Amino acid sequence: MIKKTFYAVVCAMCCATVMTSCGGGSSSKESGEAEKTEEVALKVSPESTNVGGKWGKAFDFEDKAYTLKVEEGWGSDMEVSLVITFTRNANTPDVNFDEIAGSYDACRKYVGDLEAEFLDENDEPLFTACVRTGNYTAIDKLLALSEGDKTSATFSTYKPLETIQKAKKFRITSTVEANRKAVNNPNADPNADIDKAADDLEKASKAVGDAAKAAGALMDLANSMN
């Protein structure tokens, strides 16, 4: 009798241990999933499929609802990204693509980028995301396309979730700026900074001269009154 009772107690303890272990594992898993930031997907629509700026008009993209992907970022800011597939059209840009690159280190005269400006339901600007910030080589791929060819580019930035969730529309603009990194850019004007410094010095000297003339005129006026 005692032996049967002992076996019954041991079996009961084993069952309790197994049930607790299974339950604990499930609880731990659920807790871990609750603590992990879930990926959020929002939908935004283009205000226009026309790309603005000096070189953007050479590209088109589809008019549809796009997914704005939101993932865990840094601190209180979330990483937000938008992927768009662009097609090279027959339009001639205002600048020569052979003179533009996505990097300051490239041997090109200009540095180009694409910006996506996001708007709320009242068309008020919320924030801007760029392509070059995440991967400047995407710009180089765009610039190398032939008419009819396609490639994708990802716009990304970091913003608070409450700001991102207000986004309803977006517009795309191309930007271009002079590449001032003359050391790695043989196409840039090596005398640009020197010329600017000379111009600034000339302006400063002229200002000093004008001030001296004005002071002399006041002295002459004072002497004539005496």
Side-chain angles (χ1 to χ4, degrees):
M1 181 68 180
I2 295 176
K3 190 174 183 180
K4 290 183 179 180
T5 302
F6 176 76
Y7 283 142
V9 171
V10 171
C11 290
M13 291 176 65
C14 290
C15 290
T17 301
V18 171
M19 291 177 65
T20 302
S21 176
C22 292
S26 175
S27 175
S28 175
K29 182 179 180 181
E30 291 175 359
S31 174
E33 289 177 349
E35 291 177 0
K36 183 179 178 180
T37 303
E38 293 185 359
E39 181 180 301
V40 180
L42 306 173
K43 293 292 184 180
V44 289
S45 300
E47 184 184 59
S48 169
T49 57
N50 295 324
V51 181
K54 287 185 174 294
W55 60 273
K57 66 181 183 180
F59 300 94
D60 297 323
F61 63 98
E62 189 177 353
D63 186 6
K64 67 174 186 178
Y66 287 83
T67 299
L68 195 58
K69 189 176 179 181
V70 184
E71 301 177 283
E72 188 173 353
W74 297 96
S76 60
D77 287 348
M78 304 290 286
E79 181 181 10
V80 54
S81 59
L82 172 67
V83 179
I84 295 181
T85 299
F86 293 93
T87 303
R88 177 67 192 269
N89 57 38
N91 293 331
T92 303
D94 296 334
V95 289
N96 185 351
F97 279 6
D98 291 337
E99 296 181 328
I100 309 176
S103 171
Y104 287 95
D105 292 324
C107 299
R108 300 296 173 89
K109 187 175 182 180
Y110 302 106
V111 177
D113 199 1
L114 286 176
E115 295 180 347
E117 183 179 32
F118 294 90
L119 317 170
D120 64 15
E121 59 184 3
N122 298 315
D123 294 337
E124 292 294 329
L126 291 171
F127 60 93
T128 299
C130 299
V131 170
R132 200 175 67 218
T133 301
N135 183 7
Y136 67 82
T137 58
I139 299 297
D140 295 333
K141 290 179 181 178
L142 274 168
L143 296 169
L145 291 181
S146 299
E147 184 178 342
D149 289 343
K150 302 175 183 287
T151 191
S152 296
T154 301
F155 299 81
S156 61
T157 188
Y158 293 87
K159 292 295 175 183
L161 180 59
E162 57 269 24
T163 300
I164 299 170
Q165 290 176 324
K166 295 178 183 178
K168 302 298 181 184
K169 303 177 183 178
F170 67 92
R171 61 169 71 105
I172 305 296
T173 304
S174 62
T175 65
V176 64
E177 59 180 299
N179 188 353
R180 291 281 185 172
K181 206 165 185 180
V183 174
N184 296 319
N185 181 15
N187 291 326
D189 183 0
N191 297 316
D193 292 335
I194 297 176
D195 293 341
K196 184 178 184 301
D199 291 342
D200 292 342
L201 180 60
E202 183 179 353
K203 290 177 182 178
S205 299
K206 184 177 184 302
V208 171
D210 291 343
K213 289 180 181 178
L218 288 174
M219 290 293 295
D220 292 341
L221 179 60
N223 291 333
S224 66
M225 294 179 65
N226 294 331

